[in-house]
């Protein structure tokens, strides 16, 4: 079935086929996919594009480990593989770089049992880290891929070296997506205006400036703010549908090759970007006194990164950043139609994997809206699964 265009809105402007709430990576991909599908779109962002967690520094695109394979891991794997072509097409249509590079990843192994686990995972990877005839390398070695990256003393039991992980520049990607959306000519962007209420039954949304928008369909992709809006639609949940998790990261200047692999150890990322920039992070704070700003938790991350990668010792700190990442109750992303409202979909809760899967989730959600295509998402991603967990 095809989405029908609704009548004029009460704002005095034509009512969009699709209202997208939120201008982070999820909302931008959704708006672009919808425009390419021929829908007229209004994207409303309460602050500015990329003002939330999407406007960070890391840009790590890392897969799940290849053991205990399931449909969730397969979805993320397929998304990470397809993202390379998606970004190439985006860069071609805009002339802008997203700072993407498939650099791989190195994981120091500090204990014998971790090496044993990694060797089993290497066997699993030969089966599941494949697409067609192409297999992505995952091996255990005694040598780091580059001297001092990371320090030899950080890996008494060797290293995992894999070739699937990649990185991008979050802000450059958002800029490219915004330009592509503007070029598409079917999307209006309203920044600096919050959606204060959303009524899927009436197919209307009230904005903070007093405007009322009517729509054919709506996608809620407002990051951590999505959870409160969603909780007001339908029966009140017994538990929070999702929570914010604070993350802090820093951007350093160091003489690091942009082709170096991501260094990952116990939640710490060290990522060489272009132009001598190295991003380090991040904290993962389920509780915090101050939502914004950085503190001693980031100081500890920087110090740990400098011990792990000696090249960073004495490196100038160019920027300190913090943001609130949306963690849905099931931890997995939340995507697809609301089970009680056919005109309302959700696209949020990516937490730590948003940049690697946003394009694929947006394609699935928009396909379901535009032409009734089955979304083909893992059951644990569905809105119904998250709402059930919050009952």
């Amino acid at each position: 079935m095809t989405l029908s265009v609704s009548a004029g809105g009460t704002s005095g402007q034509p009512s969009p086929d699709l209202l997208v709430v939120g201008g982070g990576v999820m909302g931008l991909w959704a708006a672009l996919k919808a425009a390419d599908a021929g829908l007229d779109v209004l994207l409303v962002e309460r602050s500015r594009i990329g003002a939330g967690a999407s406007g960070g520094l890391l840009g790590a695109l890392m897969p799940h480990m290849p053991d205990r394979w399931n449909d969730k891991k397969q979805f993320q794997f397929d998304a990470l593989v397809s993202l390379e072509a998606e970004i190439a097409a985006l860069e071609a249509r805009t002339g802008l770089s997203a700072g993407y590079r498939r650099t791989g990843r190195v994981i120091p192994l500090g204990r014998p049992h971790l090496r044993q686990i990694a060797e089993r995972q290497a066997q699993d990877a030969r089966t599941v880290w494949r697409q067609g005839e192409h297999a992505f390398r995952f091996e255990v070695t005694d040598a780091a891929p580059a001297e001092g990256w990371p320090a030899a003393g950080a890996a008494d039991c060797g290293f995992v070296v894999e070739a699937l992980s990649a990185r991008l520049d979050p802000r450059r990607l958002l800029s490219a997506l915004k330009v592509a959306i503007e070029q598409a000519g079917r999307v209006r962007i309203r920044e600096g205006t919050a959606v204060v209420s959303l009524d899927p039954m009436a197919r209307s949304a009230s904005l903070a400036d007093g405007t009322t928008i009517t729509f054919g369909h709506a996608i809620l992709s407002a990051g951590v703010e999505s959870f409160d809006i969603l909780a007001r639609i339908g029966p009140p949940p017994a538990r929070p549908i999702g929570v914010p998790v604070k993350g802090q990261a820093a951007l350093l200047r160091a003489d690091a090759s942009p082709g170096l692999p991501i260094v990952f150890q116990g939640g710490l990322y060290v990522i060489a970007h272009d132009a001598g920039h190295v991003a380090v992070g991040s904290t993962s704070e389920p509780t915090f006194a101050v939502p914004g700003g950085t503190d001693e938790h980031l100081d500890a991350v920087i110090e740990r990164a400098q011990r792990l990668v000696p090249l960073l010792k004495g490196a100038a700190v160019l920027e300190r950043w913090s943001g609130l990442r949306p963690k849905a109750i099931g931890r997995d992303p939340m995507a697809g139609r609301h089970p009680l409202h056919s005109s309302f979909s959700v696209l949020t809760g990516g937490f730590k994997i948003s940049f690697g899967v946003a394009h694929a989730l947006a394609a699935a959600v928009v396909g379901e809206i535009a032409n009734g295509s089955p979304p083909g998402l893992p059951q644990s991603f569905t809105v119904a699964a998250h709402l059930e967990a919050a009952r």
Side-chain angles (χ1 to χ4, degrees):
M1 59 179 294
T2 302
L3 179 70
S4 61
V5 180
S6 61
T10 58
S11 64
Q13 298 178 339
S15 177
D17 298 333
L18 179 65
L19 170 66
V20 177
V21 182
V25 66
M26 295 281 192
L28 291 173
W29 273 117
L32 182 59
K33 296 290 184 182
D36 287 346
L39 303 182
D40 291 319
V41 182
L42 172 63
L43 187 152
V44 177
E45 162 57 42
R46 69 171 299 162
S47 179
R48 56 178 173 76
I49 297 298
S54 293
L57 301 172
L58 291 182
L61 306 169
M62 302 198 316
H64 290 290
M65 286 299 184
D67 53 348
R68 299 188 297 277
W69 205 245
N70 55 33
D71 60 345
K72 176 175 70 174
K73 291 188 175 186
Q74 185 67 51
F75 181 90
Q76 189 200 21
F77 172 84
D78 292 339
L80 288 172
V81 173
S82 67
L83 182 59
E84 185 168 2
E86 288 270 2
I87 288 183
L90 177 67
E91 292 176 336
R93 72 193 285 179
T94 63
L96 300 174
S97 170
Y100 177 90
R101 191 160 181 165
R102 193 179 295 284
T103 59
R105 170 179 53 165
V106 56
I107 305 173
L109 301 171
R111 297 184 180 181
H113 79 280
L114 296 178
R115 182 174 183 124
Q116 293 170 2
I117 293 171
E119 288 170 342
R120 293 196 297 269
Q121 291 170 334
Q123 294 287 338
D124 294 330
R126 294 187 181 97
T127 301
V128 298
W129 276 20
R130 303 184 66 92
Q131 191 168 86
E133 296 299 315
H134 182 67
F136 291 90
R137 180 170 60 102
F138 183 112
E139 63 183 25
V140 180
T141 177
D142 292 320
E147 184 176 355
W149 191 273
D156 294 337
C157 298
F159 305 86
V160 167
V161 179
E162 53 94 341
L164 175 55
S165 294
R167 52 84 169 162
L168 54 75
D169 185 314
R171 295 169 185 175
R172 292 166 74 184
L173 173 64
L174 298 187
S175 294
L177 285 169
K178 185 178 181 182
V179 168
I181 287 168
E182 293 169 342
Q183 292 174 345
R186 304 190 70 102
V187 182
R188 290 178 292 135
I189 298 176
R190 292 187 61 175
E191 296 178 270
T193 305
V195 171
V196 295
S197 66
L198 195 152
D199 185 347
M201 296 291 290
R203 298 190 181 191
S204 69
S206 298
L207 308 188
D209 63 1
T211 302
T212 298
I213 300 293
T214 61
F215 52 80
H217 199 102
I219 295 178
L220 178 61
S221 54
V224 298
E225 296 163 13
S226 302
F227 303 133
D228 287 340
I229 296 175
L230 188 56
R232 297 195 295 269
I233 297 172
R239 295 191 291 163
I241 298 170
V243 296
V245 177
K246 183 176 179 178
Q248 301 184 48
L251 191 67
L252 312 182
R253 180 175 293 283
D255 186 20
S257 167
L260 287 168
I262 297 169
V263 179
F264 177 75
Q265 186 182 56
L268 174 67
Y269 303 77
V270 179
I271 305 173
H273 285 279
D274 300 334
H277 292 172
V278 177
V280 302
S282 69
T283 65
S284 189
E285 305 167 48
T287 59
F288 42 86
V290 181
T294 62
D295 54 31
E296 68 277 4
H297 295 292
L298 181 56
D299 296 336
V301 166
I302 295 171
E303 292 171 6
R304 185 180 167 202
Q306 291 172 334
R307 292 194 301 270
L308 183 62
V309 179
L311 177 65
L312 301 181
K313 290 181 179 178
V317 178
L318 302 178
E319 182 179 350
R320 296 165 64 94
W321 176 90
S322 70
L324 300 181
R325 300 189 297 260
K327 180 181 178 182
I329 189 169
R331 188 181 177 93
D332 295 337
M334 186 187 315
R337 287 188 193 270
H338 192 286
L340 301 179
H341 303 288
S342 61
S343 64
F344 177 52
S345 297
V346 181
L347 185 58
T348 191
F351 193 32
K352 295 184 179 181
I353 65 171
S354 292
F355 277 88
V357 299
H359 67 293
L361 291 174
V365 171
V366 169
E368 184 181 33
I369 295 168
N371 52 40
S373 300
L377 299 174
Q379 174 61 27
S380 62
F381 286 18
T382 64
V383 180
H386 287 84
L387 294 180
E388 178 63 26
R391 287 182 55 184

